[in-house]
Amino acid sequence: MEKLIGAAVIGQSGGPTAAINATLAGVIRASLSESGRGAITTLYGMRNGIEGLLDGRLIDLSAAFRTPEGGADEEKLALLSQTPAAVLGSCRKKLPDPAKDPAFFENILRIFEEKNIRYFFYIGGNDSMDTVDKLSAYIATTDYALRVVGLPKTIDNDLPGTDHSPGYGSAAKLIATEVQEIVRDCAVYTVPAVTIVEIMGRDAGWLTAAAALPRITGGAAPDFVYLPEAVFSTQAFLADLRAAFEKKPNLVVAVSEGIRTENGTYIGESEQSGSVDVFGHKYLAGAAKTLEHIVKHEFGCKVRSIELSLPQRCGAHCASLTDLTEAAAAGAAGLEAAILGASGCMIAIIRASEEDGYSVSFETADVRKIANKERRVPAEFITERGNNVTDVCLEYILPLVRGEAPVTMRDGIPVHFTFD
Amino acid sequence: MEKLIGAAVIGQSGGPTAAINATLAGVIRASLSESGRGAITTLYGMRNGIEGLLDGRLIDLSAAFRTPEGGADEEKLALLSQTPAAVLGSCRKKLPDPAKDPAFFENILRIFEEKNIRYFFYIGGNDSMDTVDKLSAYIATTDYALRVVGLPKTIDNDLPGTDHSPGYGSAAKLIATEVQEIVRDCAVYTVPAVTIVEIMGRDAGWLTAAAALPRITGGAAPDFVYLPEAVFSTQAFLADLRAAFEKKPNLVVAVSEGIRTENGTYIGESEQSGSVDVFGHKYLAGAAKTLEHIVKHEFGCKVRSIELSLPQRCGAHCASLTDLTEAAAAGAAGLEAAILGASGCMIAIIRASEEDGYSVSFETADVRKIANKERRVPAEFITERGNNVTDVCLEYILPLVRGEAPVTMRDGIPVHFTFD
């Protein structure tokens, strides 16, 4: 493969995570290494993903992170890595079909030519890989040399072609940690009570499964865990609670926001959740809130619903060291692969055989097999009754939450990196 | 004061916090010290507070935490300190008036006599201090020698007579940390959006005020902060948002669950929040959810409401080292004060003059001046427009969140202490 020298652009796309900036840091570090500098003249960051490329909002990351000696400013990179969300900003733009709207891509090509951009990195999930796929498909129809590489990022862990995705481990660690704290909190009173914790993951239950992790670390886990991959039956759920009440007064249940009935209706969208707000608009109450009302009606006991909400995906203060380390390594692997000629691919994480303990390596995977596809929790990870996850599932997740990422604090509050 | 030798009981009461077990650890450690052992023959823990005393559910804490050499098992105490909620269990029992129901207190007296209990420690907030008050008032009418000491605990920071209360610093740290992460998360997109974060504190806004802490540490804070101490006007709130939208597209607002209108109606209980659930029951939507609908109706933009909920009060993984250290010291101070003769009091934290930096000492305060009373955020801590807190307020809070309490982990998940 011919050596390609020129500028590079990188963007962050889709939902924020605690690890997406660590991947950016990995790419920046690698671009300022000896081999990186041999190919990449300048690394630009796109503000708000592809949107920033289109309207010229680029930031010179090489200049921002280069030391006077020409290497990478490790102190700045460490701050960047511990910063949640997406420091470049994000977007949710879906690119048009290159065959139907070539003008859109011709415009991008002009921008590439103008700045001699030869490398395009995009950190994101399923939708972002669609951007990688379309851009690399279009470029293949031109004689412009550009290498397009996707870097995986999703708290949902639903990207196919990779053992797991950066961002998931940290979200899983926060969920396991906070749900265990909730279980402790709810156990202090003797009055019958049910606490329902709603966890992100509309179609894939990976995040909800993580709530059960303390079960295999000697800690406290929810009594029941319901994933979208198992059909949710309100009757079976109430029967589960009734049986559990025979043994203890305080029950904690973890549910995915995406749990649905046999006919595919989301619990949070079912008629049972139909409320009307002050303006007369019907609104959807969410899975946990809907179940709160059902359980209260059935048992008449104290019921509380909790949505873990945004803190799940931006909990950098509780990030997994394994996750952030892999996130940065995936970024570096992407840059190195691109320099060696890879394009139209996503960096995938390969887990080594468990017999030698947990370790990973990185490969390139064809992005056409990844874009717009989802990897869901397999049947063997869910108990037969569909009301919990199996130990095999937890053994898959556990290595991903190991280790605590160091956090620089100022006066007791985490310090975040910004360009401002 | 005559030296009093006998057993002691300790209970935890009211809502869980991240620091209540640290106070318990402080009492246990002090009871096993040389001076402690000289007065206290056995330290019993009441399961579920006064309820466990009444029905004989006592646990021998001296035996549970004593090393073979007779000292305190520091490893166990460290685990206890990092465990959230209330390891002895809690209760919300209000004692009767001793004058009206002497039989209730005579029953307790018999239990004390039976086990030669001479010291009574109760860790809790305003309601729990009512128990301390009533019990010491009753005992004063008998010739039984018992010393009754309250140990402060409340995330709400609303106990009078003390500069602040153990439990508040850790909750404040978690709130500041997670709200800052939410602010970062919400800033990644360019579309107009409002995120409303609801924080605990029905009558006192101390917890909500903590959301603004990153403003003085160089971080990112919410655009507006509304406390229950300032009258909430929906029109003024919408005007605040409208003005802020002129400058940036993404707004984050922190509101106390207890914000209320001029006539005292809670926003979450106002007619504006009136929704009906599937069973036709009217339910209260909470302050943030109510405001979500109002803002959506007014601006038509993306609006999200987030209740930080239980994780605020049990976030031991993000505990303040200052808070846990003071919590344990308050426990030890209570035990030492009781041995020296104190009774009918609560341990209060006294803040030293700020000129020499932050430091505290402990005193006893008359529990009759504390029980059932609340300390609210003073006017000088709130901006004139009532839509934020002042720097003076943040300078009061900041020392309380400083330092990170160490957490022993197992496979990436915090380890908690239990008696099981």
Side-chain angles (χ1 to χ4, degrees):
Chain A
M1 184 68 64
E2 170 192 15
K3 185 157 185 184
L4 186 60
I5 298 177
V9 285
I10 185 164
Q12 297 172 311
S13 174
T17 75
I20 188 168
N21 288 329
T23 298
L24 178 63
V27 174
I28 295 171
R29 185 182 291 109
S31 75
L32 292 169
S33 71
E34 206 179 310
S35 71
R37 288 188 309 227
I40 291 171
T41 51
T42 304
L43 174 64
Y44 294 106
M46 304 178 247
R47 305 308 296 257
N48 304 107
I50 197 87
E51 286 181 7
L53 179 72
L54 292 172
D55 56 19
R57 289 183 293 121
L58 297 181
I59 185 164
D60 184 339
L61 296 172
S62 305
F65 287 90
R66 191 160 39 209
T67 62
E69 294 73 36
D73 185 330
E74 285 298 333
E75 202 177 318
K76 267 192 184 176
L77 287 176
L79 276 190
L80 175 60
S81 297
Q82 75 175 44
T83 301
V87 79
L88 292 172
S90 185
C91 70
R92 289 199 184 277
K93 188 174 180 64
K94 183 132 178 137
L95 298 201
D97 183 338
K100 291 188 182 151
D101 189 357
F104 179 89
F105 290 89
E106 286 156 14
N107 180 32
I108 291 182
L109 181 57
R110 271 194 297 274
I111 297 167
F112 287 158
E113 285 172 337
E114 204 173 285
K115 292 195 175 296
N116 191 34
I117 289 167
R118 298 295 173 174
Y119 295 92
F120 181 97
F121 300 102
Y122 218 44
I123 317 175
N126 318 63
D127 293 343
S128 310
M129 293 310 140
D130 178 70
T131 297
V132 170
D133 185 17
K134 283 179 177 151
L135 186 59
S136 58
Y138 167 75
I139 285 293
T141 67
T142 73
D143 58 1
Y144 189 79
L146 178 81
R147 294 180 188 157
V148 184
V149 173
L151 302 169
K153 174 267 352 173
T154 168
I155 58 163
D156 291 323
N157 203 37
D158 59 351
L159 276 165
T162 181
D163 179 75
H164 57 278
S165 294
Y168 173 66
S170 293
K173 187 183 185 87
L174 185 90
I175 289 164
T177 299
E178 291 208 336
V179 173
Q180 180 176 228
E181 289 171 345
I182 289 170
V183 171
R184 296 295 183 206
D185 186 293
C186 295
V188 305
Y189 297 118
T190 53
V191 291
V194 178
T195 302
I196 304 163
V197 186
E198 179 175 322
I199 296 168
M200 284 180 166
R202 199 141 182 87
D203 295 309
W206 296 109
L207 289 172
T208 306
L213 278 177
R215 198 179 81 205
I216 61 163
T217 66
D223 299 286
F224 301 104
V225 178
Y226 302 94
L227 311 191
E229 286 85 352
V231 168
F232 188 85
S233 149
T234 302
Q235 288 317 309
F237 167 66
L238 293 173
D240 287 343
L241 294 185
R242 199 169 294 113
F245 267 138
E246 299 288 320
K247 293 176 197 155
K248 54 193 276 224
N250 287 294
L251 305 179
V252 177
V253 175
V255 300
S256 161
E257 61 178 336
I259 50 169
R260 59 197 84 167
T261 61
E262 201 162 13
N263 62 23
T265 312
Y266 289 109
I267 293 299
E269 283 178 0
S270 67
E271 281 186 22
Q272 293 170 314
S273 77
S275 297
V276 180
D277 75 9
V278 49
F279 306 108
H281 307 145
K282 192 168 175 179
Y283 74 87
L284 304 170
K289 183 56 90 178
T290 302
L291 292 178
E292 176 191 322
H293 290 275
I294 293 170
V295 173
K296 203 175 188 69
H297 187 73
E298 180 76 12
F299 294 101
C301 65
K302 183 179 162 193
V303 190
R304 190 194 287 258
S305 62
I306 299 172
E307 274 187 62
L308 287 191
S309 193
L310 289 196
Q312 291 167 88
R313 73 178 188 191
C314 55
H317 74 280
C318 181
S320 153
L321 182 59
T322 299
D323 186 34
L324 294 201
T325 305
E326 290 180 358
L335 188 122
E336 287 153 20
I339 291 177
L340 293 173
S343 190
C345 62
M346 184 191 83
I347 295 299
I349 301 179
I350 313 298
R351 188 190 294 230
S353 154
E354 283 296 311
E355 286 173 31
D356 309 283
Y358 173 82
S359 70
V360 297
S361 57
F362 300 92
E363 290 184 1
T364 55
D366 188 340
V367 77
R368 288 171 298 180
K369 294 182 179 159
I370 293 167
N372 307 308
K373 294 186 180 67
E374 283 179 343
R375 190 176 66 103
R376 306 184 72 196
V377 177
E380 68 265 27
F381 280 15
I382 302 171
T383 60
E384 211 170 318
R385 198 173 153 82
N387 62 9
N388 218 320
V389 292
T390 60
D391 284 0
V392 179
C393 174
L394 299 178
E395 282 151 17
Y396 160 83
I397 302 172
L398 194 60
L400 315 182
V401 307
R402 282 202 190 114
E404 289 66 59
V407 182
T408 298
M409 312 288 281
R410 186 180 297 144
D411 278 330
I413 309 289
V415 179
H416 293 162
F417 177 86
T418 62
F419 287 112
D420 314 327
Chain B
M1 182 71 62
E2 170 193 14
K3 186 158 186 183
L4 186 61
I5 298 178
V9 286
I10 185 164
Q12 298 171 310
S13 175
T17 76
I20 190 168
N21 288 329
T23 298
L24 178 63
V27 173
I28 295 171
R29 183 181 292 111
S31 76
L32 292 170
S33 71
E34 206 178 309
S35 71
R37 288 188 310 226
I40 292 171
T41 51
T42 305
L43 175 64
Y44 293 106
M46 305 178 245
R47 305 308 296 258
N48 303 107
I50 197 88
E51 285 180 8
L53 179 72
L54 293 171
D55 56 18
R57 288 182 296 123
L58 297 181
I59 184 163
D60 184 339
L61 295 172
S62 305
F65 287 89
R66 190 159 40 209
T67 61
E69 295 74 37
D73 185 330
E74 286 298 334
E75 202 176 318
K76 267 192 184 177
L77 287 176
L79 276 189
L80 175 60
S81 297
Q82 74 174 45
T83 301
V87 79
L88 292 172
S90 185
C91 70
R92 288 200 184 277
K93 188 172 180 67
K94 181 131 181 138
L95 298 201
D97 181 339
K100 290 188 182 152
D101 189 358
F104 178 89
F105 290 88
E106 286 156 13
N107 180 31
I108 290 182
L109 182 56
R110 269 194 298 274
I111 297 167
F112 288 158
E113 286 172 336
E114 204 172 285
K115 292 197 174 297
N116 190 34
I117 289 167
R118 299 295 175 175
Y119 296 92
F120 182 96
F121 300 102
Y122 218 43
I123 317 174
N126 317 63
D127 293 342
S128 310
M129 293 310 140
D130 178 70
T131 297
V132 170
D133 185 19
K134 283 178 175 153
L135 186 58
S136 58
Y138 168 76
I139 285 294
T141 67
T142 72
D143 57 3
Y144 188 80
L146 178 80
R147 296 182 187 155
V148 184
V149 172
L151 302 169
K153 175 268 349 171
T154 167
I155 59 163
D156 291 323
N157 203 36
D158 59 351
L159 275 165
T162 181
D163 178 76
H164 57 277
S165 293
Y168 172 66
S170 293
K173 187 184 185 86
L174 185 90
I175 289 164
T177 299
E178 292 208 335
V179 174
Q180 182 177 227
E181 289 171 343
I182 289 170
V183 172
R184 296 294 183 205
D185 186 293
C186 295
V188 306
Y189 298 117
T190 53
V191 291
V194 178
T195 303
I196 304 162
V197 185
E198 180 175 322
I199 295 168
M200 284 179 166
R202 199 144 182 85
D203 295 310
W206 296 109
L207 289 173
T208 306
L213 277 177
R215 197 178 81 206
I216 60 164
T217 67
D223 299 287
F224 301 104
V225 177
Y226 301 95
L227 311 190
E229 285 85 351
V231 169
F232 187 85
S233 148
T234 302
Q235 288 316 311
F237 166 65
L238 293 173
D240 287 344
L241 295 185
R242 198 169 294 114
F245 267 138
E246 299 287 320
K247 294 177 197 154
K248 55 193 276 227
N250 288 295
L251 306 179
V252 177
V253 175
V255 299
S256 162
E257 61 177 335
I259 51 169
R260 60 197 83 167
T261 61
E262 202 164 12
N263 63 21
T265 312
Y266 289 109
I267 294 298
E269 283 178 359
S270 67
E271 280 185 25
Q272 293 170 313
S273 78
S275 298
V276 180
D277 76 8
V278 49
F279 306 109
H281 307 145
K282 192 169 175 181
Y283 74 86
L284 304 170
K289 183 56 92 176
T290 302
L291 293 179
E292 175 192 324
H293 290 274
I294 292 170
V295 173
K296 203 176 189 71
H297 187 73
E298 180 76 11
F299 295 99
C301 64
K302 183 178 162 194
V303 189
R304 190 195 287 260
S305 62
I306 299 173
E307 274 188 60
L308 287 191
S309 193
L310 289 196
Q312 290 167 88
R313 73 179 188 191
C314 56
H317 74 280
C318 181
S320 153
L321 182 60
T322 299
D323 185 34
L324 294 201
T325 304
E326 290 179 359
L335 188 123
E336 287 153 20
I339 291 175
L340 293 174
S343 190
C345 62
M346 184 190 83
I347 295 299
I349 301 179
I350 313 298
R351 187 190 297 230
S353 155
E354 283 296 311
E355 285 172 35
D356 309 281
Y358 174 82
S359 70
V360 297
S361 58
F362 299 91
E363 289 185 0
T364 55
D366 187 339
V367 77
R368 289 171 297 179
K369 294 182 179 160
I370 293 167
N372 307 309
K373 294 184 179 70
E374 282 179 343
R375 190 176 65 103
R376 305 185 71 196
V377 177
E380 68 266 28
F381 280 15
I382 302 172
T383 60
E384 210 170 318
R385 196 171 156 84
N387 62 8
N388 218 320
V389 292
T390 61
D391 284 359
V392 179
C393 174
L394 299 178
E395 282 151 17
Y396 159 84
I397 301 172
L398 195 59
L400 315 182
V401 307
R402 282 203 189 114
E404 290 66 59
V407 181
T408 299
M409 311 288 281
R410 186 178 299 144
D411 277 331
I413 308 288
V415 180
H416 293 162
F417 177 87
T418 63
F419 287 112
D420 313 326

